[in-house]
Every structure is written in structure tokens, then in C-alpha cells.
Amino acid sequence: MYERILVPTDGSDCADYAVEHAIDIAEQYGAELHVLSVVDSRDVSHSAPAISPQQVEETLRERAESVVEAIADRAADAGVEAVTVVEPGIPDDVVVDYAVDNDCDLIVMGTHGRTGLERYLLGSVTERTVRRSAVPVLTVRASDE
């Protein structure tokens, strides 16, 4: 049923909880796991004047690469093949396009990564992905534990 599962991550606890589910599903179905982190272009463009946008993007990219590699290691420990990708852009646009371009059968993502005022100002990436995705989206709420 599932050959390619996409798990977008921003490195948050909620996204990490979704990763657990994605790895488990990929393991059960023998699916390839695509681990995607998006360097949000809006974060780069709103950087402090003392820091160049290139420095901000490089820092965010390095963090994202570290996150996806750590997830790939977890997947490998479970016997799941993983593809890691870090892309710039608007997160929900990149997630929806990536799923289509790579023939993903399922997207597994946390219900929210950002918190507080930031979430309300930007809206929910997960909500917009669910509304726009051509493939099923499994949303995972973070555990209270």
C-alpha cells in the first residue's frame, strides 16, 4: 500500500513524535522514508539587520541537515531506507510539491511545530498541507508524556 512515505520535520518535539509513527509505518510496509526539512524563506527574509540573510540561511540549513540526518539514522536502526532532503521555500508549498514530484503515497506530520503567537500569525503548515495535498496526510498530535 505504501512505497514512499514523506515525513516533513522542523525538528520540534511534535514533528519528532510524527517521525516515530512514520518510521513504524515504513517498517511495516517496507516503504522508503523521505525525510524533508524546509528552510523557511520567510525566516531568512526577516532576519536581524546585523546578520546577513545568507548567514541566517546557512545556519538554518545546517540545523535542518543535522535534523534529517539524525532521523535517517533512526530509520536505519529500524531497517528502513531513508532519503534526506533540505529545501528552501514556504513549508506547505514545498511539502505538497515534494510529495507529488516524488510519488509519495502518504505524508506523516505533526499537528504543529511552531508555538504561540508565531503559529497564529503564520497559520498551520499542517492545516494548509492537509487542505492542498493530493495524497493522504496522517496528522500526529504530540504525546502528553
Side-chain angles (χ1 to χ4, degrees):
M1 176 174 265
Y2 301 117
E3 293 179 22
R4 282 170 299 284
I5 297 170
L6 173 59
V7 61
T9 182
D10 60 2
S12 67
D13 290 342
C14 187
D16 194 54
Y17 195 62
V19 166
E20 291 178 34
H21 287 265
I23 290 173
D24 184 61
I25 295 167
E27 184 179 14
Q28 289 181 39
Y29 284 94
E32 181 179 70
L33 186 67
H34 288 244
V35 184
L36 171 66
S37 186
V38 180
V39 176
D40 193 330
S41 58
R42 297 169 297 190
D43 290 343
V44 173
S45 65
H46 296 313
S47 63
I51 304 171
S52 75
Q54 293 83 8
Q55 288 173 310
V56 172
E57 183 174 6
E58 183 178 323
T59 300
L60 293 174
R61 178 173 281 282
E62 288 172 1
R63 180 181 178 279
E65 288 171 355
S66 174
V67 167
V68 298
E69 288 304 323
I71 294 168
D73 290 344
R74 287 169 53 192
D77 290 345
V80 172
E81 182 181 340
V83 174
T84 61
V85 181
V86 175
E87 294 284 337
I90 306 297
D92 50 294
D93 290 342
V94 175
V95 170
V96 169
D97 291 345
Y98 185 93
V100 170
D101 294 345
N102 292 277
D103 296 321
C104 294
D105 307 300
L106 177 68
I107 301 171
V108 179
M109 57 194 306
T111 53
H112 61 278
R114 298 179 185 269
T115 58
L117 182 61
E118 197 173 37
R119 179 173 183 263
Y120 293 108
L121 291 175
L122 296 176
S124 169
V125 172
T126 302
E127 180 184 341
R128 289 190 303 271
T129 300
V130 167
R131 279 190 272 130
R132 298 177 49 216
S133 178
V135 300
V137 180
L138 172 62
T139 60
V140 180
R141 173 169 265 135
S143 172
D144 291 333
E145 298 174 9

